[in-house]
PDB file of all heavy atoms in Angstrom:
ATOM      1  N   GLN A   1       0.877  -1.206  -0.012  1.00 98.00           N
ATOM      2  CA  GLN A   1       0.003   0.014  -0.014  1.00 98.00           C
ATOM      3  C   GLN A   1       0.859   1.242  -0.010  1.00 98.00           C
ATOM      4  O   GLN A   1       1.678   1.460   0.907  1.00 98.00           O
ATOM      5  CB  GLN A   1      -0.919   0.001   1.180  1.00 98.00           C
ATOM      6  CG  GLN A   1      -1.950   1.119   1.175  1.00 98.00           C
ATOM      7  CD  GLN A   1      -3.068   0.930   2.218  1.00 98.00           C
ATOM      8  OE1 GLN A   1      -2.893   0.217   3.187  1.00 98.00           O
ATOM      9  NE2 GLN A   1      -4.216   1.493   1.999  1.00 98.00           N
ATOM     10  N   ALA A   2       0.752   1.997  -1.061  1.00 96.00           N
ATOM     11  CA  ALA A   2       1.480   3.266  -1.189  1.00 96.00           C
ATOM     12  C   ALA A   2       0.639   4.404  -0.553  1.00 96.00           C
ATOM     13  O   ALA A   2      -0.624   4.250  -0.417  1.00 96.00           O
ATOM     14  CB  ALA A   2       1.776   3.605  -2.614  1.00 96.00           C
ATOM     15  N   PRO A   3       1.170   5.544  -0.140  1.00 91.00           N
ATOM     16  CA  PRO A   3       0.444   6.564   0.393  1.00 91.00           C
ATOM     17  C   PRO A   3      -0.694   7.051  -0.447  1.00 91.00           C
ATOM     18  O   PRO A   3      -0.434   7.312  -1.640  1.00 91.00           O
ATOM     19  CB  PRO A   3       1.504   7.720   0.687  1.00 91.00           C
ATOM     20  CG  PRO A   3       2.737   6.968   0.796  1.00 91.00           C
ATOM     21  CD  PRO A   3       2.614   5.786  -0.127  1.00 91.00           C
ATOM     22  N   GLY A   4      -1.918   7.184   0.153  1.00 93.00           N
ATOM     23  CA  GLY A   4      -3.030   7.669  -0.599  1.00 93.00           C
ATOM     24  C   GLY A   4      -3.646   6.664  -1.580  1.00 93.00           C
ATOM     25  O   GLY A   4      -4.542   7.022  -2.338  1.00 93.00           O
ATOM     26  N   LYS A   5      -3.163   5.400  -1.638  1.00 96.00           N
ATOM     27  CA  LYS A   5      -3.665   4.362  -2.518  1.00 96.00           C
ATOM     28  C   LYS A   5      -4.191   3.188  -1.764  1.00 96.00           C
ATOM     29  O   LYS A   5      -3.981   3.006  -0.565  1.00 96.00           O
ATOM     30  CB  LYS A   5      -2.593   3.985  -3.450  1.00 96.00           C
ATOM     31  CG  LYS A   5      -2.027   5.061  -4.389  1.00 96.00           C
ATOM     32  CD  LYS A   5      -1.005   4.505  -5.389  1.00 96.00           C
ATOM     33  CE  LYS A   5      -0.498   5.631  -6.296  1.00 96.00           C
ATOM     34  NZ  LYS A   5       0.496   5.110  -7.272  1.00 96.00           N
ATOM     35  N   GLU A   6      -4.899   2.386  -2.508  1.00 96.00           N
ATOM     36  CA  GLU A   6      -5.540   1.191  -1.960  1.00 96.00           C
ATOM     37  C   GLU A   6      -4.455   0.076  -1.726  1.00 96.00           C
ATOM     38  O   GLU A   6      -3.452   0.140  -2.345  1.00 96.00           O
ATOM     39  CB  GLU A   6      -6.648   0.659  -2.803  1.00 96.00           C
ATOM     40  CG  GLU A   6      -7.834   1.503  -2.969  1.00 96.00           C
ATOM     41  CD  GLU A   6      -8.897   0.929  -3.870  1.00 96.00           C
ATOM     42  OE1 GLU A   6      -8.598  -0.037  -4.509  1.00 96.00           O
ATOM     43  OE2 GLU A   6     -10.078   1.453  -3.838  1.00 96.00           O
ATOM     44  N   ARG A   7      -4.784  -0.864  -0.879  1.00 97.00           N
ATOM     45  CA  ARG A   7      -3.897  -1.974  -0.691  1.00 97.00           C
ATOM     46  C   ARG A   7      -3.953  -2.959  -1.873  1.00 97.00           C
ATOM     47  O   ARG A   7      -5.062  -3.409  -2.229  1.00 97.00           O
ATOM     48  CB  ARG A   7      -4.242  -2.712   0.597  1.00 97.00           C
ATOM     49  CG  ARG A   7      -3.253  -3.809   1.022  1.00 97.00           C
ATOM     50  CD  ARG A   7      -3.503  -4.318   2.423  1.00 97.00           C
ATOM     51  NE  ARG A   7      -3.406  -3.257   3.399  1.00 97.00           N
ATOM     52  CZ  ARG A   7      -3.386  -3.383   4.713  1.00 97.00           C
ATOM     53  NH1 ARG A   7      -3.563  -4.559   5.227  1.00 97.00           N
ATOM     54  NH2 ARG A   7      -3.252  -2.329   5.521  1.00 97.00           N
ATOM     55  N   ASP A   8      -2.856  -3.200  -2.563  1.00 97.00           N
ATOM     56  CA  ASP A   8      -2.800  -3.935  -3.773  1.00 97.00           C
ATOM     57  C   ASP A   8      -2.178  -5.290  -3.596  1.00 97.00           C
ATOM     58  O   ASP A   8      -1.192  -5.419  -2.840  1.00 97.00           O
ATOM     59  CB  ASP A   8      -2.077  -3.209  -4.890  1.00 97.00           C
ATOM     60  CG  ASP A   8      -2.840  -1.925  -5.393  1.00 97.00           C
ATOM     61  OD1 ASP A   8      -4.097  -1.939  -5.345  1.00 97.00           O
ATOM     62  OD2 ASP A   8      -2.171  -0.989  -5.753  1.00 97.00           O
ATOM     63  N   PHE A   9      -2.684  -6.243  -4.357  1.00 98.00           N
ATOM     64  CA  PHE A   9      -2.084  -7.594  -4.361  1.00 98.00           C
ATOM     65  C   PHE A   9      -0.685  -7.511  -5.047  1.00 98.00           C
ATOM     66  O   PHE A   9      -0.494  -6.865  -6.019  1.00 98.00           O
ATOM     67  CB  PHE A   9      -3.005  -8.511  -5.141  1.00 98.00           C
ATOM     68  CG  PHE A   9      -2.404  -9.854  -5.437  1.00 98.00           C
ATOM     69  CD1 PHE A   9      -2.461 -10.847  -4.449  1.00 98.00           C
ATOM     70  CD2 PHE A   9      -1.895 -10.175  -6.702  1.00 98.00           C
ATOM     71  CE1 PHE A   9      -1.951 -12.093  -4.695  1.00 98.00           C
ATOM     72  CE2 PHE A   9      -1.425 -11.428  -6.946  1.00 98.00           C
ATOM     73  CZ  PHE A   9      -1.394 -12.376  -5.930  1.00 98.00           C
ATOM     74  N   VAL A  10       0.203  -8.296  -4.431  1.00 98.00           N
ATOM     75  CA  VAL A  10       1.555  -8.433  -4.957  1.00 98.00           C
ATOM     76  C   VAL A  10       1.788  -9.898  -5.468  1.00 98.00           C
ATOM     77  O   VAL A  10       2.234 -10.116  -6.606  1.00 98.00           O
ATOM     78  CB  VAL A  10       2.663  -8.052  -3.969  1.00 98.00           C
ATOM     79  CG1 VAL A  10       4.039  -8.285  -4.598  1.00 98.00           C
ATOM     80  CG2 VAL A  10       2.450  -6.571  -3.602  1.00 98.00           C
ATOM     81  N   ALA A  11       1.651 -10.855  -4.551  1.00 98.00           N
ATOM     82  CA  ALA A  11       1.872 -12.272  -4.862  1.00 98.00           C
ATOM     83  C   ALA A  11       1.229 -13.186  -3.829  1.00 98.00           C
ATOM     84  O   ALA A  11       0.945 -12.743  -2.752  1.00 98.00           O
ATOM     85  CB  ALA A  11       3.471 -12.492  -4.880  1.00 98.00           C
ATOM     86  N   SER A  12       0.995 -14.419  -4.240  1.00 98.00           N
ATOM     87  CA  SER A  12       0.468 -15.401  -3.392  1.00 98.00           C
ATOM     88  C   SER A  12       1.035 -16.769  -3.741  1.00 98.00           C
ATOM     89  O   SER A  12       1.523 -17.001  -4.824  1.00 98.00           O
ATOM     90  CB  SER A  12      -1.042 -15.376  -3.364  1.00 98.00           C
ATOM     91  OG  SER A  12      -1.618 -15.730  -4.651  1.00 98.00           O
ATOM     92  N   ILE A  13       0.979 -17.711  -2.789  1.00 97.00           N
ATOM     93  CA  ILE A  13       1.512 -19.018  -2.908  1.00 97.00           C
ATOM     94  C   ILE A  13       0.571 -20.028  -2.250  1.00 97.00           C
ATOM     95  O   ILE A  13       0.060 -19.812  -1.172  1.00 97.00           O
ATOM     96  CB  ILE A  13       2.927 -19.114  -2.380  1.00 97.00           C
ATOM     97  CG1 ILE A  13       3.587 -20.489  -2.681  1.00 97.00           C
ATOM     98  CG2 ILE A  13       2.920 -18.859  -0.842  1.00 97.00           C
ATOM     99  CD1 ILE A  13       5.037 -20.470  -2.395  1.00 97.00           C
ATOM    100  N   SER A  14       0.345 -21.182  -2.922  1.00 96.00           N
ATOM    101  CA  SER A  14      -0.554 -22.166  -2.418  1.00 96.00           C
ATOM    102  C   SER A  14       0.074 -22.945  -1.246  1.00 96.00           C
ATOM    103  O   SER A  14       1.234 -22.782  -0.930  1.00 96.00           O
ATOM    104  CB  SER A  14      -0.843 -23.148  -3.550  1.00 96.00           C
ATOM    105  OG  SER A  14       0.269 -23.921  -3.951  1.00 96.00           O
ATOM    106  N   ARG A  15      -0.762 -23.714  -0.582  1.00 93.00           N
ATOM    107  CA  ARG A  15      -0.352 -24.441   0.580  1.00 93.00           C
ATOM    108  C   ARG A  15       0.784 -25.447   0.300  1.00 93.00           C
ATOM    109  O   ARG A  15       1.645 -25.678   1.120  1.00 93.00           O
ATOM    110  CB  ARG A  15      -1.547 -25.220   1.196  1.00 93.00           C
ATOM    111  CG  ARG A  15      -2.047 -26.341   0.321  1.00 93.00           C
ATOM    112  CD  ARG A  15      -3.345 -26.934   0.925  1.00 93.00           C
ATOM    113  NE  ARG A  15      -4.430 -26.004   0.836  1.00 93.00           N
ATOM    114  CZ  ARG A  15      -5.636 -26.292   1.349  1.00 93.00           C
ATOM    115  NH1 ARG A  15      -5.906 -27.439   1.915  1.00 93.00           N
ATOM    116  NH2 ARG A  15      -6.607 -25.353   1.189  1.00 93.00           N
ATOM    117  N   SER A  16       0.852 -25.950  -0.868  1.00 87.00           N
ATOM    118  CA  SER A  16       1.937 -26.879  -1.258  1.00 87.00           C
ATOM    119  C   SER A  16       3.128 -26.204  -1.882  1.00 87.00           C
ATOM    120  O   SER A  16       4.195 -26.724  -2.003  1.00 87.00           O
ATOM    121  CB  SER A  16       1.377 -27.812  -2.321  1.00 87.00           C
ATOM    122  OG  SER A  16       1.124 -27.245  -3.517  1.00 87.00           O
ATOM    123  N   GLY A  17       2.967 -24.874  -2.186  1.00 90.00           N
ATOM    124  CA  GLY A  17       4.069 -24.158  -2.856  1.00 90.00           C
ATOM    125  C   GLY A  17       4.065 -24.343  -4.288  1.00 90.00           C
ATOM    126  O   GLY A  17       4.917 -23.701  -5.010  1.00 90.00           O
ATOM    127  N   GLY A  18       3.196 -25.179  -4.887  1.00 91.00           N
ATOM    128  CA  GLY A  18       3.249 -25.543  -6.268  1.00 91.00           C
ATOM    129  C   GLY A  18       2.561 -24.525  -7.198  1.00 91.00           C
ATOM    130  O   GLY A  18       2.793 -24.545  -8.441  1.00 91.00           O
ATOM    131  N   THR A  19       1.800 -23.625  -6.621  1.00 96.00           N
ATOM    132  CA  THR A  19       1.058 -22.643  -7.435  1.00 96.00           C
ATOM    133  C   THR A  19       1.381 -21.288  -6.883  1.00 96.00           C
ATOM    134  O   THR A  19       1.308 -21.022  -5.698  1.00 96.00           O
ATOM    135  CB  THR A  19      -0.412 -22.892  -7.418  1.00 96.00           C
ATOM    136  OG1 THR A  19      -0.782 -24.151  -7.883  1.00 96.00           O
ATOM    137  CG2 THR A  19      -1.204 -21.803  -8.211  1.00 96.00           C
ATOM    138  N   THR A  20       1.763 -20.319  -7.732  1.00 97.00           N
ATOM    139  CA  THR A  20       2.058 -18.977  -7.353  1.00 97.00           C
ATOM    140  C   THR A  20       1.365 -17.995  -8.302  1.00 97.00           C
ATOM    141  O   THR A  20       1.107 -18.329  -9.476  1.00 97.00           O
ATOM    142  CB  THR A  20       3.547 -18.640  -7.298  1.00 97.00           C
ATOM    143  OG1 THR A  20       4.090 -18.948  -8.612  1.00 97.00           O
ATOM    144  CG2 THR A  20       4.235 -19.506  -6.328  1.00 97.00           C
ATOM    145  N   TYR A  21       1.012 -16.860  -7.743  1.00 98.00           N
ATOM    146  CA  TYR A  21       0.402 -15.752  -8.609  1.00 98.00           C
ATOM    147  C   TYR A  21       1.135 -14.531  -8.333  1.00 98.00           C
ATOM    148  O   TYR A  21       1.563 -14.254  -7.167  1.00 98.00           O
ATOM    149  CB  TYR A  21      -1.084 -15.651  -8.243  1.00 98.00           C
ATOM    150  CG  TYR A  21      -1.908 -16.800  -8.662  1.00 98.00           C
ATOM    151  CD1 TYR A  21      -2.304 -17.742  -7.703  1.00 98.00           C
ATOM    152  CD2 TYR A  21      -2.271 -16.989  -9.976  1.00 98.00           C
ATOM    153  CE1 TYR A  21      -3.085 -18.870  -8.070  1.00 98.00           C
ATOM    154  CE2 TYR A  21      -3.077 -18.100 -10.322  1.00 98.00           C
ATOM    155  CZ  TYR A  21      -3.464 -18.973  -9.366  1.00 98.00           C
ATOM    156  OH  TYR A  21      -4.197 -20.090  -9.661  1.00 98.00           O
ATOM    157  N   TYR A  22       1.238 -13.652  -9.342  1.00 98.00           N
ATOM    158  CA  TYR A  22       1.971 -12.324  -9.229  1.00 98.00           C
ATOM    159  C   TYR A  22       1.143 -11.308  -9.946  1.00 98.00           C
ATOM    160  O   TYR A  22       0.518 -11.554 -10.985  1.00 98.00           O
ATOM    161  CB  TYR A  22       3.339 -12.430  -9.823  1.00 98.00           C
ATOM    162  CG  TYR A  22       4.289 -13.389  -9.173  1.00 98.00           C
ATOM    163  CD1 TYR A  22       4.434 -14.702  -9.573  1.00 98.00           C
ATOM    164  CD2 TYR A  22       5.040 -12.956  -8.065  1.00 98.00           C
ATOM    165  CE1 TYR A  22       5.322 -15.596  -8.913  1.00 98.00           C
ATOM    166  CE2 TYR A  22       5.874 -13.824  -7.420  1.00 98.00           C
ATOM    167  CZ  TYR A  22       6.037 -15.136  -7.883  1.00 98.00           C
ATOM    168  OH  TYR A  22       6.841 -16.021  -7.248  1.00 98.00           O
ATOM    169  N   ALA A  23       1.155 -10.138  -9.331  1.00 98.00           N
ATOM    170  CA  ALA A  23       0.688  -8.989 -10.068  1.00 98.00           C
ATOM    171  C   ALA A  23       1.508  -8.729 -11.295  1.00 98.00           C
ATOM    172  O   ALA A  23       2.738  -8.945 -11.243  1.00 98.00           O
ATOM    173  CB  ALA A  23       0.667  -7.713  -9.148  1.00 98.00           C
ATOM    174  N   ASP A  24       0.880  -8.256 -12.351  1.00 98.00           N
ATOM    175  CA  ASP A  24       1.617  -7.997 -13.560  1.00 98.00           C
ATOM    176  C   ASP A  24       2.850  -7.049 -13.408  1.00 98.00           C
ATOM    177  O   ASP A  24       3.863  -7.175 -14.001  1.00 98.00           O
ATOM    178  CB  ASP A  24       0.678  -7.384 -14.672  1.00 98.00           C
ATOM    179  CG  ASP A  24      -0.304  -8.429 -15.252  1.00 98.00           C
ATOM    180  OD1 ASP A  24      -0.005  -9.645 -15.074  1.00 98.00           O
ATOM    181  OD2 ASP A  24      -1.276  -7.976 -15.791  1.00 98.00           O
ATOM    182  N   SER A  25       2.679  -6.113 -12.471  1.00 97.00           N
ATOM    183  CA  SER A  25       3.691  -5.117 -12.288  1.00 97.00           C
ATOM    184  C   SER A  25       5.003  -5.669 -11.623  1.00 97.00           C
ATOM    185  O   SER A  25       5.988  -5.027 -11.678  1.00 97.00           O
ATOM    186  CB  SER A  25       3.129  -3.968 -11.353  1.00 97.00           C
ATOM    187  OG  SER A  25       2.690  -4.492 -10.166  1.00 97.00           O
ATOM    188  N   VAL A  26       4.948  -6.923 -11.117  1.00 98.00           N
ATOM    189  CA  VAL A  26       6.104  -7.434 -10.396  1.00 98.00           C
ATOM    190  C   VAL A  26       6.577  -8.750 -11.053  1.00 98.00           C
ATOM    191  O   VAL A  26       7.599  -9.273 -10.594  1.00 98.00           O
ATOM    192  CB  VAL A  26       5.863  -7.685  -8.920  1.00 98.00           C
ATOM    193  CG1 VAL A  26       5.398  -6.404  -8.215  1.00 98.00           C
ATOM    194  CG2 VAL A  26       4.845  -8.749  -8.633  1.00 98.00           C
ATOM    195  N   LYS A  27       5.865  -9.285 -12.031  1.00 98.00           N
ATOM    196  CA  LYS A  27       6.248 -10.508 -12.604  1.00 98.00           C
ATOM    197  C   LYS A  27       7.638 -10.450 -13.260  1.00 98.00           C
ATOM    198  O   LYS A  27       7.998  -9.429 -13.869  1.00 98.00           O
ATOM    199  CB  LYS A  27       5.289 -10.878 -13.754  1.00 98.00           C
ATOM    200  CG  LYS A  27       3.922 -11.439 -13.329  1.00 98.00           C
ATOM    201  CD  LYS A  27       3.033 -11.784 -14.484  1.00 98.00           C
ATOM    202  CE  LYS A  27       1.690 -12.309 -13.976  1.00 98.00           C
ATOM    203  NZ  LYS A  27       0.773 -12.621 -15.083  1.00 98.00           N
ATOM    204  N   GLY A  28       8.451 -11.452 -12.940  1.00 98.00           N
ATOM    205  CA  GLY A  28       9.767 -11.448 -13.465  1.00 98.00           C
ATOM    206  C   GLY A  28      10.817 -10.805 -12.493  1.00 98.00           C
ATOM    207  O   GLY A  28      11.977 -10.923 -12.710  1.00 98.00           O
ATOM    208  N   ARG A  29      10.318 -10.020 -11.563  1.00 98.00           N
ATOM    209  CA  ARG A  29      11.168  -9.321 -10.631  1.00 98.00           C
ATOM    210  C   ARG A  29      11.019  -9.837  -9.157  1.00 98.00           C
ATOM    211  O   ARG A  29      11.990  -9.863  -8.485  1.00 98.00           O
ATOM    212  CB  ARG A  29      10.870  -7.734 -10.644  1.00 98.00           C
ATOM    213  CG  ARG A  29      11.056  -7.196 -11.971  1.00 98.00           C
ATOM    214  CD  ARG A  29      11.011  -5.682 -11.915  1.00 98.00           C
ATOM    215  NE  ARG A  29       9.686  -5.186 -11.493  1.00 98.00           N
ATOM    216  CZ  ARG A  29       9.418  -4.474 -10.392  1.00 98.00           C
ATOM    217  NH1 ARG A  29      10.422  -4.091  -9.607  1.00 98.00           N
ATOM    218  NH2 ARG A  29       8.146  -4.114 -10.040  1.00 98.00           N
ATOM    219  N   PHE A  30       9.814 -10.202  -8.791  1.00 98.00           N
ATOM    220  CA  PHE A  30       9.567 -10.685  -7.393  1.00 98.00           C
ATOM    221  C   PHE A  30       9.316 -12.188  -7.397  1.00 98.00           C
ATOM    222  O   PHE A  30       8.749 -12.736  -8.336  1.00 98.00           O
ATOM    223  CB  PHE A  30       8.341  -9.953  -6.816  1.00 98.00           C
ATOM    224  CG  PHE A  30       8.500  -8.538  -6.542  1.00 98.00           C
ATOM    225  CD1 PHE A  30       9.553  -7.804  -6.991  1.00 98.00           C
ATOM    226  CD2 PHE A  30       7.535  -7.869  -5.832  1.00 98.00           C
ATOM    227  CE1 PHE A  30       9.687  -6.444  -6.746  1.00 98.00           C
ATOM    228  CE2 PHE A  30       7.625  -6.466  -5.517  1.00 98.00           C
ATOM    229  CZ  PHE A  30       8.697  -5.824  -5.994  1.00 98.00           C
ATOM    230  N   THR A  31       9.680 -12.849  -6.351  1.00 98.00           N
ATOM    231  CA  THR A  31       9.473 -14.238  -6.101  1.00 98.00           C
ATOM    232  C   THR A  31       8.957 -14.534  -4.730  1.00 98.00           C
ATOM    233  O   THR A  31       9.624 -14.070  -3.756  1.00 98.00           O
ATOM    234  CB  THR A  31      10.726 -15.071  -6.386  1.00 98.00           C
ATOM    235  OG1 THR A  31      11.272 -14.792  -7.657  1.00 98.00           O
ATOM    236  CG2 THR A  31      10.393 -16.604  -6.207  1.00 98.00           C
ATOM    237  N   ILE A  32       7.831 -15.185  -4.597  1.00 98.00           N
ATOM    238  CA  ILE A  32       7.316 -15.576  -3.315  1.00 98.00           C
ATOM    239  C   ILE A  32       7.688 -17.039  -3.012  1.00 98.00           C
ATOM    240  O   ILE A  32       7.724 -17.877  -3.958  1.00 98.00           O
ATOM    241  CB  ILE A  32       5.754 -15.395  -3.244  1.00 98.00           C
ATOM    242  CG1 ILE A  32       5.269 -15.646  -1.879  1.00 98.00           C
ATOM    243  CG2 ILE A  32       5.087 -16.298  -4.305  1.00 98.00           C
ATOM    244  CD1 ILE A  32       3.768 -15.330  -1.713  1.00 98.00           C
ATOM    245  N   SER A  33       8.016 -17.329  -1.787  1.00 97.00           N
ATOM    246  CA  SER A  33       8.453 -18.654  -1.394  1.00 97.00           C
ATOM    247  C   SER A  33       8.015 -18.913   0.055  1.00 97.00           C
ATOM    248  O   SER A  33       7.599 -17.988   0.724  1.00 97.00           O
ATOM    249  CB  SER A  33       9.891 -18.911  -1.618  1.00 97.00           C
ATOM    250  OG  SER A  33      10.699 -18.016  -0.776  1.00 97.00           O
TER     251      SER A  33
END
């Protein structure tokens, strides 16, 4: 959440770790583990 903006999704990971999702703005740069 940036100042004055809504809280935005960045990344998520499944219970097994086998499925991950990323916001388009961070794909290729951020990794969730």
Side-chain angles (χ1 to χ4, degrees):
Q1 187 168 21
K5 297 184 178 180
E6 296 182 346
R7 188 168 298 186
D8 291 330
F9 172 79
V10 176
S12 60
I13 187 167
S14 66
R15 67 186 71 182
S16 67
T19 302
T20 57
Y21 294 100
Y22 296 93
D24 288 342
S25 59
V26 306
K27 285 181 179 177
R29 300 189 297 121
F30 291 11
T31 303
I32 187 171
S33 61

